[in-house]
Each structure stands twice: as C-alpha cells, then as structure tokens.
Amino acid sequence: MAASTGGGVGAEDVVRNKQVILRDYVSGFPKESDMQVTTGTTKLKLPEGSTAGVLVKNLYLSCDPYMRSRMTKRDPGASYVDSFNAGSPITGYGVAKVLESANPKFKQGDLVWGMTGWEEYSIITATDSLFKIHNTDVPLSYYTGILGMPGITAYAGFYEVCSPKKGETVYVSAASGAVGQLVGQFAKLLGCYVVGSAGSKEKVDLLKNKFGFDEAFNYKEEPNLVAALKRYFPEGIDIYFENVGGKMLDAVLLNMRIHGRIAVCGMISQYNLEQPEGVHNLTSVISKQLRMEGFVAPSYYHLYEKFLEMVVPAINEGKITYVEDVVEGLESAPAALVGLFAGRNVGKQVVVVSRE
C-alpha cells in the first residue's frame, strides 16, 4: 500500500501535497461528500533508514469499481483487498514517477504503475506489485487501463478463465467500461461472435462503431432481459464475461449453452446495496454443465509480460483501440469515482494529477 507523506517539515524540500481523504466508511451509494480534498505539506525525501520504499510523484490515478468495497469497513482478510483507512488518503492504481528509491529495482526518474495514494506525492512501501514502465510510445495514462490492472484483468479473464475458441458466442456486460471494451475486442480478434450491453445510446454506438462488437444493446431499454439475450443469442451463449451481477446474471444463466463458461470479474449492480440481490437460476449451472469462476487480477500478474507481448503490437497496429474518460486534478477525483456507479463515465475513468 501507499503510505501518506503527510509528515516532515522544516527543510528546503518541503512542498504542498494535495490529498483525497476518505472521511468515514460508507453504506449505500457513495457520495462526493464521503471524500474530502485537503492540502498539507510533505518532505520530498524518504524517511531515514528506509530500506525498500520509493518516493513518487503521482501522474495519473485510476477510478475502478472494486474501490467501492474498500470504502466499507470489513475485517482484515475478508476480501482480497483491505478496507481503506477512514481519515487517510484513498489508495488505488496509478502511474507515477520515482523521485527517490531505496529499492534496487527502481531508480530516480523511472516511470511506474501500481498501487499508490490519491495525493500528489506518495511513499510506496509495498513495491512487490509495482511495475516499471518500459514502453512509453503509448499514452502513459494507458497504464491505468489497457496496459495496467484492467488490461490484465480482461486478458486473464477471457483467455485463462474462459478458454475461448474461434467461432464461439461471447456476451460482455458493462461492455464499454475499462475491462469490457477490451474483452470484446480480444474476442473479435479470436473470431468470436460478440455482443455487449451498456447503459446509454452513446455507449452502445461506441461498442458497435469503435470497438467492433457484432451487436450491442441498452439494457435500460429492455423490459425483459431473458428475451433480449435470446434475441441476440438464438443458439445460446458460450462465454459470459460478468461485470454486473443481479438480474443480468439471472437472465444470462437461462441463455447459456451446454458447457458454457462464466468469468466473474465484477458485480457492479450489487456494490451499493445493503442487502445483495439473490440469484434464482443457479440450477442452470447443473443442467447446462456450466463452469462459473471468479478471479482477481493480482493472481495473474505473473502473465504480465506475456500480456504486453500480445497487446502492445495490437495497439500499435490499430487492431485494438481504447477509450478513456479523463478529468483534470485531484479535486475532480471524488466526483469521478462516484460517477462510476451512476454510469457517468464513457470508457476508462482516469484522473490526471500531473502531466509531469
């Protein structure tokens, strides 16, 4: 995790450090007022005796749906990521520049991506999941998305969990988001028939015209999701990439084909509910002999280099495209994060802290 650099004063290296603080733990839908943007000072120096940490200047921050679960107080170990510390800066994935390093893997001037603080400057002590950026021929912000955690999530979920084959039918929910837009394009590159759903006409148009999905629909305009999926998949669904949960999952289960696979990446419809919705059609898992598997990106970080070997050339050759929704400044970060849960973002939500 990233440690706040809120201490240290009295030297020529003391600078302003704007931070986004979680005021208190959240129940229900998060609000901008659950977070507070404050400005303190920090010393641009690692603490005396630091043996492995790095001091970084944050450049880009990533807003991701999983962060909602960290805003609720949970027992340590209850999830693969711990709760935020109320009263402290939020942490999340970001792109940063190393200012000082006590870790031999990193040196001053290196660009990195990984877990950092929602602040201008951070000391990162947990450097195991910090990745050095070697390829700078693409926008640096891509390392919050297509070349960062969402990218490896899409890659691992589709190729490793779903074991796809050419010609199979693929359905992606929340398909215009950071992960979904990539899953659909990976599936098209493999020669699959791909349908995505999203929550606005603008997003549906994006899926068909920008990302190359065969079909797409606005789930908000479908009174009967079971019938909608039957319309797009008359022969059934081989692969479902699950980002939504709830009623969508229930409808999908009735439309899966025999030996279908469901990669459970997220369930954004459930994150803000006090009482999660039940799933009613789980007997389809038996009758259709389905495989349904949850997964998290860090379990697949060992495949990161293999992932880059595939995706960087595809970006450079124009075979894969990526859409970002960019806001400027830490003061814009709370609204950007909250906006994920109202579907306000179009594409990967990124916060620019500094362009260097």
Side-chain angles (χ1 to χ4, degrees):
M1 282 303 151
S4 164
T5 63
V9 291
E12 62 276 11
D13 288 326
V14 171
V15 296
R16 183 194 73 176
N17 194 24
K18 193 180 291 183
Q19 301 176 313
V20 180
I21 306 291
L22 180 68
R23 287 177 186 263
D24 204 352
Y25 293 110
V26 175
S27 62
F29 271 85
K31 305 180 294 296
E32 289 179 50
S33 59
D34 293 324
M35 292 164 273
Q36 180 181 11
V37 181
T38 65
T39 302
T41 58
T42 189
K43 195 173 180 181
L44 288 187
K45 189 139 188 68
L46 285 171
E48 286 294 326
S50 181
T51 56
V54 292
L55 169 67
V56 300
K57 178 181 182 180
N58 293 311
L59 305 177
Y60 298 93
L61 298 176
S62 177
C63 295
D64 296 297
Y66 82 90
M67 296 172 75
R68 171 61 189 86
S69 67
R70 303 189 67 195
M71 299 173 90
T72 299
K73 180 66 174 171
R74 286 189 168 85
D75 293 334
S79 174
Y80 73 101
V81 283
D82 291 335
S83 299
F84 292 134
N85 293 318
S88 297
I90 285 172
T91 56
Y93 286 97
V95 174
K97 187 172 189 174
V98 176
L99 300 182
E100 186 184 358
S101 176
N103 186 315
K105 289 199 303 185
F106 305 101
K107 66 180 188 301
Q108 184 180 351
D110 281 349
L111 293 165
V112 295
W113 75 266
M115 199 63 77
T116 188
W118 275 34
E119 54 190 352
E120 291 176 281
Y121 301 95
S122 296
I123 291 173
I124 302 173
T125 53
T127 55
D128 288 348
S129 59
L130 202 60
F131 295 85
K132 192 183 295 189
I133 293 172
H134 297 288
N135 187 332
T136 55
D137 294 338
V138 296
L140 278 180
S141 57
Y142 274 20
Y143 290 91
T144 68
I146 185 171
L147 297 178
M149 183 274 289
I152 194 72
T153 299
Y155 176 85
F158 184 62
Y159 291 107
E160 299 294 318
V161 177
C162 292
S163 305
K165 302 178 194 68
K166 182 179 179 179
E168 289 192 310
T169 59
V170 177
Y171 174 49
V172 186
S173 57
S176 68
V179 174
Q181 58 175 291
L182 289 174
V183 174
Q185 291 180 85
F186 289 159
K188 286 306 298 175
L189 285 175
L190 190 63
C192 297
Y193 169 78
V194 186
V195 178
S197 60
S200 72
K201 182 183 184 304
E202 179 187 8
K203 293 177 182 180
V204 168
D205 289 346
L206 203 61
L207 293 176
K208 292 196 283 192
N209 301 327
K210 182 87 172 174
F211 301 135
F213 283 57
D214 293 289
E215 292 288 350
F217 65 92
N218 183 347
Y219 70 90
K220 294 176 182 175
E221 294 178 350
E222 298 291 347
N224 185 330
L225 289 172
V226 175
L229 290 169
K230 186 73 175 172
R231 193 164 73 240
Y232 291 106
F233 296 98
E235 303 298 318
I237 301 166
D238 290 305
I239 290 172
Y240 173 44
F241 199 95
E242 164 70 303
N243 290 311
V244 171
K247 295 178 178 65
M248 184 62 80
L249 176 57
D250 249 346
V252 167
L253 285 167
L254 295 179
N255 279 280
M256 292 296 291
R257 296 184 73 176
I258 301 289
H259 298 302
R261 287 86 72 205
I262 299 174
V264 185
C265 173
M267 293 192 173
I268 198 169
S269 72
Q270 305 301 296
Y271 295 162
N272 299 306
L273 301 181
E274 293 291 316
Q275 189 64 48
E277 294 172 331
V279 179
H280 304 278
N281 297 322
L282 282 172
T283 52
S284 293
V285 175
I286 307 164
S287 60
K288 295 170 186 278
Q289 301 165 68
L290 306 178
R291 181 163 61 80
M292 190 171 171
E293 183 177 342
F295 71 101
V296 294
S299 297
Y300 293 91
Y301 281 164
H302 64 283
L303 298 177
Y304 185 62
E305 292 304 321
K306 181 182 172 187
F307 159 71
L308 287 181
E309 287 170 13
M310 178 216 148
V311 81
V312 171
I315 294 170
N316 292 337
E317 293 163 19
K319 293 178 179 175
I320 289 180
T321 188
Y322 201 63
V323 170
E324 297 177 313
D325 192 324
V326 179
V327 299
E328 298 278 344
L330 275 168
E331 58 280 354
S332 303
L337 180 56
V338 169
L340 289 179
F341 305 102
R344 285 204 295 264
N345 59 303
V346 178
K348 167 66 200 164
Q349 186 67 71
V350 182
V351 178
V352 180
V353 183
S354 171
R355 295 188 188 270
E356 287 251 15

